[in-house]
Amino acid sequence: MGVLLTKAAQWTTASSGTGKLEFTPMNEFLLKGILCFVEQFNFQHPQEAEHVFEEPLQWITTLVASDFKTDYDISGDVQSQEKDSEGHSLLQLSPPTVCVRSFSQLCKLVHLAGDKKLEEVRACLEENRDPLVKILGPFFANIMERGTVHTQDQAKDSEVKVRLFHLLQNMDKQLLANLLEEISEWLDPTSVKNEVELLKQFCTEGEKKVLKTVRYTSDYEFSNGCRAPLWRQLHGEICYLIIEPYDSEDFYITCSNAGVFLNGVGEQSGYDRTSDVYKDLVTLLKSRSPHFAENINNQVQWNIDRFTVINKKHPYRCPLLLQVVKSTLICSLLFSKDPARAMQVETFSESSSESEEEDEQLERRPENNIDLPAEYWQIQKLVKYLKGGDQTATVLTLCAMMDLNLMQETCQLAIRDVGGLEVLINLLDTDEVKCKIGSLKILRKISNNVQICRTTVEMGGLRCIVKILDSPVKELKALAAETIANIARFRRARRTVRQYDGIKKLVKLLDCVPNLTRLTADQEKDVDVARCGALALWSCSKSTKNKEAIRKAGGIPLLGRLLKSPHENMLIPVVGTLQECASEVSYRIAIQTEGMIKDLVKNLSSDNDELQMHCASAIFKCAEDQETRDLVRKYRGLQPLVLLLGKAENKQLLAAATGAIWKCSISMENVAKLQEYKALEILVGLLSDQPEEVLVNVVGALGEFAQIPANRATIRKYGGIKPLVNLLTGTNQALLVNVTKAVGACATDKDNMAFIDSLDGVRLVWSLLKNPSTDVQSSAAWALCPCIENAKDAGEMVRSLVGGLELIVNLLKSTNNEVLASICAAITKIAKDKENLAVLTDHGVVPLLARLTNTSDDRLRYNLAGAIGHCCMWGSNRVSFGDTGAVAPLVHYLKSKDSAVHKSTAMALYQLSKDPNNCITMHEKGVVKILKCNGQESHIHSHQWLNKYC
């Protein structure tokens, strides 16, 4: 609550103690987050909830005495029956003032407030502007303000207060993180940072100095990179600058998502805009500082071929490009409204690489100094006619523009550069259908350019396009949906479509009759509208929230109906949407229940590679579930999948087909069927010269095939062992997980194990225990178990691995239960060799195993008990287990519902019982009664131990 109230909350005044929280969306967000924290605190952290505050929180409440019932004395002033060590009530109400001394009472109060609970939280925070000081004292409040805490400092106060401090700190960070995440989706401070850093290059000494200083007004930077207060970030503001020129007063500048402008800070009028909005800092400075304008032109080259003049409605764009020349940064500010001034720019290398495809991309233009094509100037003239012509002229101009090559990037960006994009968007708000159709046809084509897509969204064009989805004109709806399909390739666009109810409107477009053999002209239009709607949903479905919106809008049954269409151009976007959404469990269930698996299997035999790829990909995702795997087999989909392996030149199709085979082979019934089609031999042949996305799936499938003993020999026969071992040296974590599983499965065959050992495979698997991924660690440890068990001389093999046993023991310090379970399983195998067990003991395996015994994870319990039982067979280890408190928790394992846990635990207790003190501990914990209740479910060792020692 410290950082929240000082850096995020919006107050009516700046003076401490007198301001009120403004009624703004940000404050509403913060108050709801704090309320949720307080409401759940008493149940989630009962011990910390009882902690008495250093000072009580007091405020004017809406509650009256009659609102308090049990647990309160209401004879006079309302007082809680709970009191602190000095006899003060933890809650006291002297209307209208309430005084609260613990989170327990605070939680009860907000529950009593009912629908006024948010009002109570607001009043509490307004009256207690620094609640941390009152809750924890000034020492902890200061630490939280700094954001750090030290162990020596913590030791000065109680353990409960330290835990409470961390809970409040985590809540503070979480709420800020959530808030910043919302804001960060539409603010990009990177471009501003780059421009500021480059402008600072002009503040250096010498003739090149054109500015005195460039500095931020705040040194505090939020995690999203912005420096403006959070409530100003909601207005699109990124940071504030003070730029000191040579020939005028200091400029106080606001950098925002809409551009840059002078603010009123220097004139004591706050954040208010006091100038026009400029597209970038250079333009602003040139218009305000003659000295800057005169000197900058001697150093900066302006080139219209590289970047675009952005009007006021366009978002903030960094016009600067970092250039590496002799290890120093120089500036290339590439803007010009006059083509005659365009000049050749030296070659450059970019200083940063692109992130993922849907993130902000730098605009790329040709490097060479070439003349602008004739289409550029033609488009410039046509846009002028669009701006000033009547309806007839507008339609004719749109037709003329359509005759140009609008798929060429130069033409696409030219439309934007000369203001044509804004005109096209404005035409969508007219009542003229022909103008709308012409505009959408152009937008549909040029929206293949990512820069055009972003600018369209930022100018509000997507709202107009979504609105057209309600039009009664079918051609308009189809064009609008197809344009949305192009634009919704990045996150902000997908979110915008959802916010304007575009998902619901697109789902409605799917309602048509596509399965008739003969369609009327009107029905054909309906089918085309549905196809375009499916295309748009396909693009939008890359968002998790949009997937849920599609489901809620009733999209699944409509997609299922369209899946029966005989037209490939309809099926591709429909199956594409389904396979995108199949990552969600709700969709996988719906795909099963709506009978779509049959249609997906049917379309695997299509002649269209893209359709086959999407169908296989959908099965790949859906086959996580047993029922889907059975349905694929039932509808004879396994053979078409194997046939797709023959199209090895199409890597996307091959990745989808191998993925589907991998998931289907989780069911052994499917493995037997796949063997009839010689799938195993084909998969072994795909172990080399394939991209990683294919190898992950191929190796995953081989790991499942190898669960059947006969297939392990087949893998060796067709030369699969060596390429599998070679893949152990890779870095792809998903591939390493699957490879270790496959190698481990193959190692259960003694002949395979000998071959693996000869290829140094065991050492490679062991080395993967050092991998930072816990998935790789656990998979490698599981693979070591059959390797050790089936090695000709397992003890010597393990000892030959320098540092291997120490690595195994150190992994017992992991916090991941799967890693711990697999390491315990490996220790069980290793400990069968006395020399190796002695080394494990020297490395401290006993106390580390004992520390894990309080787990409730049955998988870990089973392997842990096995490791403890085998480790008891050396020296005084069984005594050490008793001394470290491992015996009592093991007795409770016998209450598990897993009979396998009973067996391994009984064996461990049998070994531990050979020490008298351990027997006493077991007896005290009621082991005899538990064993008698378990009866035949426990292992024979339990009865031997019971009869002999108890």
Side-chain angles (χ1 to χ4, degrees):
M1 281 184 272
V3 178
L4 283 176
L5 296 181
T6 57
K7 299 192 182 299
Q10 298 167 256
W11 299 88
T12 55
T13 66
S15 56
S16 179
T18 60
K20 299 292 183 182
L21 286 167
E22 294 183 0
F23 289 89
T24 63
M26 178 175 289
N27 282 352
E28 193 80 4
F29 177 88
L30 297 177
L31 288 173
K32 286 180 179 178
I34 295 171
L35 173 61
C36 181
F37 175 79
V38 172
E39 284 183 309
Q40 300 174 6
F41 196 89
N42 202 23
F43 308 106
Q44 295 182 351
H45 312 286
Q47 189 175 0
E48 290 79 6
E50 300 300 327
H51 173 73
V52 179
F53 298 160
E54 290 291 310
E55 297 179 40
L57 298 176
Q58 300 182 51
W59 70 92
I60 305 300
T61 181
T62 59
L63 297 177
V64 294
S66 59
D67 292 323
F68 296 84
K69 302 185 181 349
T70 58
D71 299 330
Y72 295 94
D73 180 6
I74 57 175
S75 54
D77 287 347
V78 176
Q79 294 186 345
S80 65
Q81 295 176 5
E82 294 181 10
K83 301 182 184 297
D84 62 15
S85 58
E86 298 178 0
H88 298 128
S89 296
L90 296 182
L91 184 146
Q92 185 170 356
L93 174 66
S94 301
T97 302
V98 66
C99 176
V100 179
R101 296 176 181 270
S102 74
F103 268 108
S104 174
Q105 290 298 325
L106 195 59
C107 180
K108 292 178 181 178
L109 184 142
V110 296
H111 280 291
L112 290 171
D115 57 359
K116 295 183 179 180
K117 58 182 68 174
L118 205 62
E119 189 177 334
E120 290 294 325
V121 174
R122 177 185 289 274
C124 175
L125 294 176
E126 287 176 346
E127 295 296 327
N128 302 274
R129 286 287 293 268
D130 206 347
L132 291 177
V133 173
K134 294 189 175 183
I135 294 172
L136 298 171
F139 171 72
F140 277 96
N142 290 336
I143 291 176
M144 191 160 180
E145 190 68 29
R146 295 195 305 268
T148 58
V149 63
H150 304 287
T151 305
Q152 292 180 349
D153 296 333
Q154 293 177 359
K156 297 178 182 179
D157 222 306
S158 69
E159 183 181 349
V160 173
K161 186 180 286 189
V162 171
R163 291 202 302 269
L164 181 58
F165 162 78
H166 283 298
L167 290 171
L168 291 170
Q169 189 180 48
N170 290 338
M171 182 273 292
D172 208 58
K173 290 178 179 178
Q174 187 60 48
L175 273 180
L176 273 177
N178 292 342
L179 190 58
L180 288 170
E181 184 180 357
E182 289 292 322
I183 295 172
S184 300
E185 290 186 356
W186 55 284
L187 282 183
D188 179 21
T190 306
S191 55
V192 178
K193 286 183 182 179
N194 290 340
E195 186 169 7
V196 170
E197 290 305 313
L198 290 171
L199 278 178
K200 287 181 179 179
Q201 303 300 315
F202 295 115
C203 299
T204 56
E205 295 295 334
E207 296 180 0
K208 293 184 178 181
K209 189 170 183 180
V210 295
L211 294 170
K212 289 184 180 180
T213 60
V214 177
R215 66 183 187 274
Y216 293 104
T217 59
S218 171
D219 293 329
Y220 183 86
E221 183 175 313
F222 289 94
S223 61
N224 63 352
C226 296
R227 296 173 185 261
L230 288 173
W231 62 279
R232 297 302 302 179
Q233 290 184 38
L234 286 179
H235 295 285
E237 294 177 6
I238 296 170
C239 66
Y240 308 102
L241 300 171
I242 300 177
I243 296 181
E244 187 178 358
Y246 275 97
D247 53 351
S248 63
E249 298 293 328
D250 293 355
F251 297 139
Y252 295 85
I253 298 173
T254 297
C255 298
S256 76
N257 218 36
V260 299
F261 54 84
L262 298 180
N263 60 47
V265 172
E267 303 170 5
Q268 305 300 317
S269 56
Y271 297 103
D272 293 342
R273 180 165 62 88
T274 60
S275 74
D276 292 335
V277 179
Y278 297 86
K279 61 182 175 293
D280 55 75
L281 289 169
V282 172
T283 305
L284 185 151
L285 291 170
K286 288 183 69 177
S287 68
R288 297 280 173 166
S289 169
H291 175 83
F292 179 88
E294 179 182 352
N295 288 276
I296 198 70
N297 286 333
N298 296 327
Q299 302 173 42
V300 180
Q301 301 177 358
W302 310 84
N303 192 325
I304 199 169
D305 288 336
R306 296 290 187 87
F307 290 88
T308 310
V309 177
I310 301 174
N311 62 35
K312 296 176 184 178
K313 288 193 175 183
H314 286 208
Y316 191 90
R317 284 287 182 272
C318 178
L320 303 170
L321 200 54
L322 289 175
Q323 183 179 356
V324 180
V325 178
K326 297 180 181 180
S327 303
T328 59
L329 291 175
I330 66 171
C331 197
S332 294
L333 306 175
L334 310 172
F335 273 92
S336 176
K337 291 185 179 181
D338 182 5
R341 294 175 57 191
M343 300 175 64
Q344 171 70 29
V345 180
E346 296 177 5
T347 59
F348 63 91
S349 61
E350 294 177 5
S351 62
S352 61
S353 59
E354 288 185 22
S355 57
E356 59 183 293
E357 181 180 349
E358 66 179 40
D359 284 339
E360 192 71 33
Q361 299 182 11
L362 288 175
E363 190 172 332
R364 302 186 183 277
R365 298 291 186 89
E367 296 283 338
N368 300 326
N369 185 23
I370 59 175
D371 294 331
L372 290 172
E375 288 90 343
Y376 186 95
W377 309 114
Q378 193 172 353
I379 286 172
Q380 189 177 53
K381 293 177 182 178
L382 291 173
V383 169
K384 288 181 180 179
Y385 292 133
L386 278 180
K387 291 179 178 179
D390 57 15
Q391 178 186 343
T392 304
T394 299
V395 173
L396 292 174
T397 304
L398 291 172
C399 292
M401 197 175 287
M402 283 292 296
D403 290 335
L404 299 173
N405 183 12
L406 296 180
M407 299 306 293
Q408 183 180 343
E409 185 181 23
T410 305
C411 293
Q412 293 168 348
L413 297 178
I415 292 174
R416 185 193 66 176
D417 294 352
V418 298
L421 190 58
E422 183 179 4
V423 178
L424 291 172
I425 292 171
N426 289 338
L427 287 175
L428 299 179
D429 279 330
T430 66
D431 296 327
E432 300 300 328
V433 174
K434 290 182 179 180
C435 292
K436 288 183 179 181
I437 290 174
S439 175
L440 281 173
K441 283 184 176 180
I442 295 171
L443 287 171
R444 179 184 59 179
K445 285 192 174 184
I446 67 174
S447 60
N448 285 293
N449 183 293
V450 176
Q451 300 296 328
I452 296 292
C453 291
R454 293 187 178 279
T455 308
T456 302
V457 174
E458 288 150 356
M459 294 177 69
L462 198 51
R463 178 190 61 81
C464 302
I465 298 171
V466 169
K467 184 179 178 182
I468 291 174
L469 294 174
D470 290 325
S471 170
V473 181
K474 293 176 183 179
E475 186 179 3
L476 274 178
K477 290 195 287 189
L479 287 169
E482 207 166 352
T483 307
I484 290 172
N486 290 337
I487 294 176
R489 286 182 291 174
F490 65 103
R491 184 170 52 187
R492 184 182 173 189
R494 294 192 288 270
R495 186 177 68 248
T496 303
V497 173
R498 184 179 68 252
Q499 289 173 341
Y500 288 115
D501 283 334
I503 300 297
K504 292 179 182 178
K505 296 176 181 180
L506 288 170
V507 168
K508 287 181 181 178
L509 301 185
L510 302 181
D511 194 3
C512 69
V513 187
N515 305 324
L516 298 178
T517 54
R518 293 183 180 179
L519 297 173
T520 65
D522 198 50
Q523 287 174 332
E524 286 181 354
K525 290 181 180 179
D526 288 336
V527 171
D528 190 54
V529 169
R531 179 189 65 82
C532 296
L535 277 171
L537 288 174
W538 187 6
S539 295
C540 292
S541 63
K542 291 178 174 61
S543 160
T544 302
K545 291 182 179 179
N546 283 351
K547 291 174 187 176
E548 181 63 15
I550 293 170
R551 187 188 65 79
K552 289 183 176 179
I556 297 177
L558 292 174
L559 288 168
R561 190 196 305 171
L562 294 175
L563 192 56
K564 300 182 184 298
S565 171
H567 307 291
E568 287 181 353
N569 64 348
M570 171 70 80
L571 288 171
I572 289 173
V574 169
V575 178
T577 305
L578 288 172
Q579 68 88 15
E580 195 72 52
C581 294
S583 57
E584 303 295 318
V585 176
S586 59
Y587 272 87
R588 295 201 295 269
I589 295 172
I591 288 171
Q592 292 171 13
T593 56
E594 295 284 341
M596 298 186 209
I597 299 298
K598 183 177 182 179
D599 295 308
L600 290 173
V601 168
K602 174 185 174 183
N603 287 311
L604 285 174
S605 302
S606 167
D607 294 330
N608 187 298
D609 285 0
E610 186 179 4
L611 179 57
Q612 288 177 320
M613 184 263 290
H614 290 309
C615 288
S617 182
I619 292 173
F620 174 26
K621 294 179 180 179
C622 292
E624 293 279 354
D625 307 316
Q626 173 71 43
E627 189 175 345
T628 297
R629 297 195 291 270
D630 294 340
L631 288 172
V632 173
R633 183 177 70 254
K634 175 183 176 182
Y635 295 124
R636 300 179 181 180
L638 297 176
Q639 187 175 14
L641 287 172
V642 175
L643 291 175
L644 292 180
L645 299 180
K647 298 185 176 183
E649 70 285 350
N650 187 333
K651 300 306 179 184
Q652 285 186 316
L653 176 57
L654 186 61
T658 51
I661 290 173
W662 169 25
K663 295 303 180 181
C664 287
S665 63
I666 295 173
S667 298
M668 291 300 104
E669 299 89 343
N670 286 346
V671 172
K673 202 70 178 173
L674 287 165
Q675 270 302 81
E676 295 178 14
Y677 310 126
K678 306 298 181 182
L680 181 55
E681 292 86 336
I682 300 173
L683 289 170
V684 171
L686 292 172
L687 281 174
S688 56
D689 300 324
Q690 297 297 338
E692 287 185 341
E693 56 267 24
V694 173
L695 288 173
V696 169
N697 299 336
V698 170
V699 176
L702 290 176
E704 300 300 337
F705 273 76
Q707 302 302 314
I708 297 177
N711 289 339
R712 299 165 196 158
T714 304
I715 293 174
R716 182 180 71 253
K717 176 183 175 182
Y718 285 92
I721 301 296
K722 186 174 181 179
L724 281 174
V725 172
N726 290 340
L727 290 174
L728 290 169
T729 60
T731 57
N732 184 303
Q733 293 182 351
L735 180 56
L736 289 174
V737 169
N738 286 355
V739 171
T740 47
K741 181 179 179 180
V743 170
C746 290
T748 55
D749 181 285
K750 289 186 180 296
D751 292 333
N752 282 352
M753 178 54 215
F755 193 21
I756 291 169
D757 194 20
S758 69
L759 295 170
D760 208 18
V762 177
R763 183 188 63 80
L764 292 173
V765 173
W766 208 295
S767 68
L768 291 176
L769 296 175
K770 300 177 183 178
N771 193 285
S773 166
T774 55
D775 291 335
V776 176
Q777 290 173 0
S778 60
S779 185
W782 288 121
L784 287 174
C785 296
C787 290
I788 296 169
E789 187 171 10
N790 293 286
K792 187 174 181 180
D793 188 353
E796 183 58 34
M797 180 187 73
V798 171
R799 285 191 293 277
S800 69
L801 299 167
V802 179
L805 293 176
E806 183 179 5
L807 178 59
I808 285 281
V809 173
N810 284 336
L811 281 174
L812 289 173
K813 300 174 184 176
S814 173
T815 57
N816 183 282
N817 279 359
E818 187 65 19
V819 172
L820 293 172
S822 60
I823 292 297
C824 287
I827 289 173
T828 301
K829 304 296 182 184
I830 295 169
K832 292 180 180 179
D833 181 270
K834 297 297 182 184
E835 290 185 43
N836 289 334
L837 176 54
V839 177
L840 287 173
T841 303
D842 291 341
H843 284 306
V845 72
V846 172
L848 289 173
L849 288 174
R851 191 185 66 172
L852 301 176
T853 52
N854 287 314
T855 182
S856 59
D857 186 318
D858 275 346
R859 185 172 169 85
L860 176 54
R861 283 177 167 184
Y862 169 77
N863 292 287
L864 176 58
I868 290 174
H870 282 82
C871 287
C872 282
M873 299 177 190
W874 177 260
S876 60
N877 280 0
R878 57 174 54 90
V879 177
S880 299
F881 277 120
D883 294 340
T884 52
V887 178
L890 280 174
V891 174
H892 291 292
Y893 288 13
L894 295 172
K895 296 180 180 179
S896 169
K897 296 179 180 179
D898 190 338
S899 59
V901 174
H902 297 169
K903 294 176 182 179
S904 63
T905 303
M907 188 276 288
L909 291 174
Y910 170 64
Q911 293 296 332
L912 289 166
S913 66
K914 295 179 182 180
D915 175 65
N917 290 327
N918 289 344
C919 275
I920 294 171
T921 303
M922 294 177 204
H923 198 278
E924 290 175 348
K925 296 300 178 181
V927 71
V928 176
K929 182 178 179 182
I930 297 172
L931 284 171
K932 286 181 177 179
C933 291
N934 284 346
Q936 295 301 317
E937 292 181 7
S938 294
H939 195 265
I940 187 66
H941 278 303
S942 68
H943 295 291
Q944 292 175 348
W945 167 74
L946 178 61
N947 293 331
K948 187 173 181 179
Y949 293 99
C950 296

